[in-house]
Amino acid sequence: MTQPLRFAVIGQPIAHSLSPTIHAAFARQRGIVLEYTAIEAGPEALAETLERFDGHGANITLPHKVAAFGLCASTTERARRARAVNTLTRTAEGWEGDNTDGSGLVRDLTERRRLDLRGRRVLLLGAGGAAQGVAPLLLDAGIDEMVVVNRSPERADALCSALGDPARAHSRYWDDLRGLGDFEMIVNATSAGRATGQFDIPFSLPSPRCLAVDLSYGEAAVPFLAWARAAGCVDVVDGLGMLVEQAADSFARWHGVRPDTEAVYAMLRAREDALVTAD
């Protein structure tokens, strides 16, 4: 009997993760036998958890994407640009780190939703692991300018410095939001508003054709998406499509074949919509 290939998603909290469901669906499509589990690990336990895990690969989610980068024996170019990883592949030398967050976001926006990102002025809220993963790929997608705002301004400065594109990527203070002008795209990579249910930033930020994107999905995305609709954003998108697309890129890296994402996305979207209706 064929032994299943072993994979996992590691983070904290992790019980809500859809990654096991997504990868199981991908595996059924491609006739691949695998075992994919969710592993809860706090920041102090990440290194030990990875050392104990004997699987073929792992996805890394919050809050570990930056820390996991430092535990890799080797990294891909896009992981080095992000200085964060969300995909680990076991090699003879140790873990190889990759980052599929940015490619997943851009694919969801440009291919699934047919949105043109070129020439947009972008406001990126947050400078942690999630923001680090998507920022380089947004620049590659042809945006005109990116303004990074973070409550800890040093992290925003560090992210912009790492991007190496001072003509297009700039950092600003959170208190400066009201004076930054308007944007054709606003990306929320923070947890702001989750505790209170209210996302409090100026309504003057969106331009008339603004695209608003939250990198989270489900209840975590509700405060920002509600703000975006109230502010008049034309397109309002959560992170579910990005989640599916980045998972497909991870799956392709591990198995050498990219799965069909549309059926899986449709299944998860129907499930999420049903939960909202039930509430």
Side-chain angles (χ1 to χ4, degrees), residues 39 59-60 63-64 69 88-89 98 103 107 120 142 164 166 174 181 248 259:
I39 299 175
N59 287 125
I60 304 296
H64 301 315
F69 178 85
L88 300 179
T89 304
D98 191 14
S103 60
R107 191 187 296 269
R120 292 182 188 249
W174 195 271

Side-chain angles (χ1 to χ4, degrees), residues 4 10 20 22 68 70 112 114 124 156 160 183 231 238 254 267 269:
I10 301 171
I22 293 170
R112 173 174 291 112
R114 305 297 180 186
L124 177 59
C160 289
F183 296 86
D238 70 2
W254 292 330
M267 172 190 70
R269 176 54 67 198

Side-chain angles (χ1 to χ4, degrees), residues 126-127 149-154 156 172-175 190 192-193 200-201:
V149 176
N150 192 64
R151 292 195 184 278
S152 300
E154 298 82 7
R172 294 291 184 269
Y173 297 107
W174 195 271
D175 291 342
T190 76
D200 186 21
I201 60 174

Side-chain angles (χ1 to χ4, degrees), residues 202-260:
F203 283 137
S204 59
L205 290 169
S207 77
R209 72 178 191 110
C210 187
L211 159 65
V213 182
D214 197 307
L215 300 188
S216 298
Y217 61 90
E219 290 186 6
V222 168
F224 175 76
L225 299 183
W227 171 88
R229 294 187 180 98
C233 295
V234 174
D235 296 292
V236 179
V237 177
D238 70 2
L240 186 63
M242 169 186 165
L243 176 71
V244 174
E245 296 300 331
Q246 64 82 21
D249 285 349
S250 296
F251 188 93
R253 188 161 193 84
W254 292 330
H255 304 290
V257 59
R258 199 174 195 279
D260 171 40

